[in-house]
């Protein structure tokens, strides 16, 4: 793993070229999903350091969200996605659940949530509400990706001691599931 990091640090590219790579990876993530966010955050932190790297990646995530909103709104005008039978369950879930659950669903790393993310611009009442939901999701996603970066990738270099962050991430996911299950069991008729 150290050899891979050394290779990435010693690539014969200028700072501008590194910046462009991070910008492109981060900008396209809101549009195509997949694990690009983990790649963009990892490379950004390697090339620019933790704070600057996260700020660069997050800035381009936000730009990607704005462009994606426009793309989905124009597709919805043309194709009326809410009437498509395969998408009706997604619309139903999005309309029946509060925004914080959308943030968590979209923000969990390495989980395919493309249909949820695709329908958010249509189901959120305003652009501002959409942006708040997506920024919240990406704050969560970025935090989890940083934990994954330090928990999985750094553990290959430092050994088992750094698995603590991965354990924290796993416990957090389990707590989310358990709390949701208990809430539904104890308060079945309440929407929280």
């Amino acid at each position: 793993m150290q050899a891979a990091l050394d290779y990435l640090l010693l690539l014969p590219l200028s700072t501008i070229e590194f910046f462009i790579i991070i910008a492109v990876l981060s900008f396209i993530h809101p549009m195509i999903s997949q694990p690009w966010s983990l790649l963009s955050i990892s490379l950004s932190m390697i090339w620019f350091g933790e704070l600057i790297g996260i700020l660069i990646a997050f800035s381009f995530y936000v730009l990607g969200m704005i462009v994606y909103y426009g793309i989905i709104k124009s597709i919805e005008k043309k194709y009326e996605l809410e009437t498509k039978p395969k998408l009706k369950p997604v619309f139903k879930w999005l309309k029946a659940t509060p925004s914080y659950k959308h943030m968590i669903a979209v923000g969990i790393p390495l989980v395919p949530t493309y249909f949820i993310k695709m329908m958010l611009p249509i189901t959120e009442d305003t652009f501002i509400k959409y942006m708040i939901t997506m920024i919240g999701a990406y704050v969560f996603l970025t935090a989890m990706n940083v934990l994954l970066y330090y928990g999985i990738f750094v553990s290959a270099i430092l050994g088992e001691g750094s698995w603590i962050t991965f354990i924290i991430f796993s416990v957090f996911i389990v707590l989310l599931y358990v709390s949701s299950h208990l809430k539904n069991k104890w308060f079945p008729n309440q929407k929280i």
Side-chain angles (χ1 to χ4, degrees):
M1 181 70 176
Q2 184 62 47
L5 287 175
D6 290 342
Y7 175 77
L8 289 170
L9 287 170
L10 299 174
L11 281 173
L13 299 173
S14 69
T15 303
I16 297 296
E17 291 168 318
F18 285 139
F19 182 83
I20 290 170
I21 291 169
I22 298 306
V24 168
L25 288 173
S26 300
F27 180 78
I28 65 174
H29 184 267
M31 296 176 227
I32 62 171
S33 285
Q34 306 307 327
W36 292 112
S37 66
L38 183 57
L39 177 63
S40 62
I41 284 293
S42 299
L43 291 177
S44 196
M45 289 189 330
I46 289 168
W47 290 336
F48 295 101
E50 283 86 359
L51 183 60
I52 304 262
I54 290 170
L55 288 174
I56 291 169
F58 203 83
S59 298
F60 284 95
Y61 289 153
V62 171
L63 288 176
M65 290 173 210
I66 293 167
V67 170
Y68 188 66
Y69 181 87
I71 291 169
I72 294 299
K73 283 298 205 178
S74 65
I75 290 172
E76 170 60 16
K77 265 186 199 171
K78 189 173 183 178
Y79 296 104
E80 298 177 358
L81 298 173
E82 284 194 73
T83 62
K84 306 297 180 202
K86 288 186 178 182
L87 298 177
K88 283 186 181 184
V90 178
F91 279 112
K92 183 179 177 185
W93 182 81
L94 283 168
K95 289 177 180 179
T97 56
S99 292
Y100 80 90
K101 288 187 179 183
H102 304 163
M103 290 179 198
I104 293 169
V106 171
I108 294 175
L110 307 174
V111 174
T113 56
Y114 190 73
F115 283 122
I116 294 171
K117 193 187 306 183
M118 187 171 86
M119 299 306 132
L120 271 174
I122 300 166
T123 58
E124 294 294 351
D125 298 333
T126 65
F127 174 73
I128 298 294
K129 189 168 181 202
Y130 162 78
M131 286 304 293
I132 289 169
T133 302
M134 288 300 290
I135 287 172
Y138 271 75
V139 166
F140 183 70
L141 176 68
T142 301
M144 293 300 111
N145 279 335
V146 169
L147 286 176
L148 283 172
Y149 173 80
Y150 282 109
I152 293 174
F153 300 130
V154 176
S155 69
I157 298 168
L158 301 177
E160 292 186 31
S162 65
W163 275 91
I164 190 74
T165 54
F166 184 74
I167 292 169
I168 290 169
F169 173 71
S170 300
V171 167
F172 182 74
I173 297 299
V174 169
L175 286 175
L176 282 174
Y177 172 77
V178 169
S179 66
S180 178
H181 177 73
L182 289 176
K183 181 204 62 93
N184 290 337
K185 185 176 179 181
W186 292 342
F187 307 104
N189 296 328
Q190 290 186 358
K191 290 197 182 228
I192 297 176

